[in-house]
Amino acid sequence: MDAFLIKGPVRLAGTVRASGAKNAALPALAAALLTADPVTLDEVPDLADVNTMNRLLAGMGVSIDRPAPGRVVLGASRVTSTEAPYDLVRTMRASILVLGPLVARFGEARVSLPGGCAIGVRPVDLHLLALEAMGARIAVEKGYIHAHVSRVGRGTGRLTGAAIRFPSPTVTGTENVLFAAALAKGTTVIENAAREPEVEDTARLLTAMGARVTGAGTPTITVEGVDRLSGTGQMPHAIVPDRIEAGTYLAAGAITGGDVTVTGARARDLGAFLDALSRAGAGVEVTADSVRVHGGRPLVAVDIETAPHPGFPTDLQAQFLALMTQAEGTSRLIETIFENRFLHAVELARLGADVRVDGRAAVVRGPSSLEGAPVTASDLRASAALVLAGLVARGETRVRRIYHLDRGYAAMDERLRSLGASVERIDG
Ligand code: UD1
């Protein structure tokens, strides 16, 4: 199993380019199921999760070509199966994103129920309730979600537009409803919709395919269903830049007291995070298509609370916690999205961090002088936090189970090396 061997401390300096967002690429790939025409995507990141989604789609008969780096052309004219098997779904919860498209176009789907994951229970009940409200009959049997829309006359059954109000915003839930509503009969209004940039990007792709969507990026999205969607035609859809990857490299710049620029990053998608970075004392400079973080020693403690977009993203909480181990004073981080998302705290403590977790809050006292040690990654963003800490820890830090990191960061070792870090991918 791959591990990262990091030698610290180091001061990072240089420029990296933001990749396309994992969380926008996954729904965009799933969206190809909605049409028989080719869908061409650009800026698709080279990630384990993207490969998993491609395998899932290929298993359904979708053709997948990669004519150039970052470009994927999908063709779902001959879908032979509407099933998402357990073996793939268990490795990636976002597999649930095929549910909406399958039910919308074929009137049926059989999708393995995603299991729990390290960071919490993460149910999909809101996805299922919404599809039921749109006329799907849902049964959960033997670990699989069976969704079915009754036929009226000939042809496949068709969903009906409905008023959906999420009790709390769900990102992939909102995307599944967008897919379902795009081909439903009538109008769907989603209230308390997720406002993440990746939801907006999904709506942008659907619009390019002929869907009628308004309000994406706001809490109320309206979709007028159409009879059929087309492909992307002459204009490939370019995936929005990954704000979480960008934020991670900016945090790497800040924690090492370095000078890191991420080109292609959109500051407007990173508002709450950049605000916290500057309150912590890092210099933040924004241009139209880049964000730079520099200097900022000594850092000072800052409190944050995760929240749905535009709040502080839960996907940057672990990285920010790592940063706070180097800040002067006591910071309190509150996690409101997932119930068990402080697994990195124990591992950071192994490096010498002073972190106490109490339910949904983590209290970090800094600055700590970290010492390299073997640590084990537990989930994607926790792995990133351990890598950040390894950059400032004195001596060798071995981060094991780096496959978690490969799910969401393309070539992180190479990119960190390009900024001056000593990071090797080793077997261990
Ligand atoms: C997406 C992101 C993930 C990010 C998360 C929160 C993708 C592929 N993944 O995950 O990186 O950490 O948003 O920003 O985009 N919930 C329910 N029932 C449901 C659905 C969700 O109770 O049916 C709860 C979840 O347990 C969680 C909260 O709602 O507490 C938000 O989760 P959600 O936005 O759905 O996360 P994902 O879409 O799975």
Side-chain angles (χ1 to χ4, degrees):
M1 229 179 274
D2 282 5
F4 274 4
L5 185 64
I6 306 170
K7 291 191 188 121
V10 71
R11 183 183 168 276
L12 298 188
T15 300
V16 287
R17 183 173 173 270
S19 313
K22 167 178 90 72
N23 287 353
L26 297 176
L29 294 165
L33 283 169
L34 287 164
T35 174
D37 299 341
V39 168
T40 304
L41 305 174
D42 272 345
E43 301 291 340
V44 177
D46 188 8
L47 300 171
D49 273 9
V50 164
N51 293 335
T52 303
M53 183 60 88
N54 283 341
R55 273 167 54 210
L56 188 60
L57 296 173
M60 295 172 182
V62 177
S63 67
I64 298 167
D65 293 311
R66 295 169 175 260
R71 175 166 289 193
V72 179
V73 184
L74 302 107
S77 59
R78 274 190 290 272
V79 169
T80 48
S81 153
T82 51
E83 176 170 327
Y86 174 67
D87 272 355
L88 289 174
V89 177
R90 81 185 164 81
T91 63
M92 185 181 71
R93 286 183 40 87
S95 308
I96 192 72
L97 284 166
V98 299
L99 180 63
L102 289 174
V103 180
R105 178 154 162 232
F106 304 105
E108 61 172 34
R110 192 165 174 268
V111 176
S112 170
L113 205 55
C117 64
I119 64 173
V121 179
R122 299 183 86 173
V124 290
D125 54 328
L126 301 177
H127 301 233
L128 305 187
L129 285 171
L131 290 175
E132 265 176 348
M134 298 178 76
R137 279 190 293 133
I138 309 260
V140 178
E141 279 164 24
K142 296 189 180 149
Y144 275 80
I145 302 161
H146 297 255
H148 181 82
V149 192
S150 303
R151 288 163 201 237
V152 183
R154 285 158 34 143
T156 55
R158 189 164 173 200
L159 294 166
T160 327
I164 310 288
R165 190 185 161 79
F166 286 121
S168 58
T170 154
V171 175
T172 48
T174 301
E175 289 160 351
N176 254 333
V177 175
L178 283 178
F179 296 144
L183 284 179
K185 197 169 155 52
T187 304
T188 299
V189 179
I190 313 172
E191 303 232 51
N192 210 11
R195 295 154 68 184
E196 270 67 2
E198 295 77 22
V199 173
E200 255 187 283
D201 201 47
T202 304
R204 201 164 56 83
L205 168 61
L206 289 174
T207 304
M209 292 165 67
R212 300 216 189 113
V213 185
T214 53
T218 78
T220 306
I221 306 179
T222 305
V223 185
E224 278 176 54
V226 294
D227 290 342
R228 66 177 293 277
L229 292 170
S230 60
T232 45
Q234 295 302 309
M235 268 296 275
H237 172 81
I239 302 293
V240 73
D242 196 321
R243 64 199 164 97
I244 306 301
E245 184 203 44
T248 303
Y249 286 110
L250 294 171
I255 198 171
T256 62
D259 188 343
V260 169
T261 300
V262 183
T263 54
R266 301 198 311 192
R268 67 174 183 278
D269 294 344
L270 277 162
F273 174 73
L274 295 181
D275 179 56
L277 270 187
S278 25
R279 281 190 290 130
V284 177
E285 262 176 46
V286 168
T287 70
D289 84 327
S290 76
V291 183
R292 172 181 174 216
V293 164
H294 56 90
R297 287 279 177 166
L299 293 162
V300 292
V302 166
D303 294 341
I304 56 124
E305 181 168 329
T306 63
H309 194 76
F312 191 102
T314 174
D315 285 352
L316 283 170
Q317 175 261 104
Q319 299 88 319
F320 200 78
L321 195 154
L323 180 69
M324 287 298 97
T325 68
Q326 300 307 297
E328 194 88 46
T330 303
S331 50
R332 208 174 136 79
L333 289 79
I334 302 185
E335 173 58 56
T336 70
I337 309 288
F338 295 114
E339 66 269 29
N340 192 21
R341 207 175 195 180
F342 285 125
L343 297 170
H344 41 288
V346 192
E347 296 298 302
L348 288 170
R350 290 176 45 73
L351 298 173
D354 181 350
V355 194
R356 196 165 42 82
V357 176
D358 184 7
R360 296 209 154 191
V363 176
V364 187
R365 282 196 188 83
S368 301
S369 80
L370 303 182
E371 294 284 340
V375 286
T376 303
S378 54
D379 69 66
L380 168 54
R381 306 305 170 184
S383 323
L386 297 177
V387 171
L388 295 189
L391 295 172
V392 285
R394 192 164 302 280
E396 277 189 8
T397 299
R398 185 182 292 237
V399 185
R400 295 170 52 217
R401 299 194 179 222
I402 222 66
Y403 64 86
H404 287 294
L405 200 77
D406 293 332
R407 288 188 41 213
Y409 291 95
M412 191 187 230
D413 45 342
E414 282 169 34
R415 288 169 153 214
L416 287 173
R417 276 199 298 275
S418 79
L419 296 171
S422 165
V423 183
E424 295 303 325
R425 185 181 283 265
I426 56 166
D427 187 15

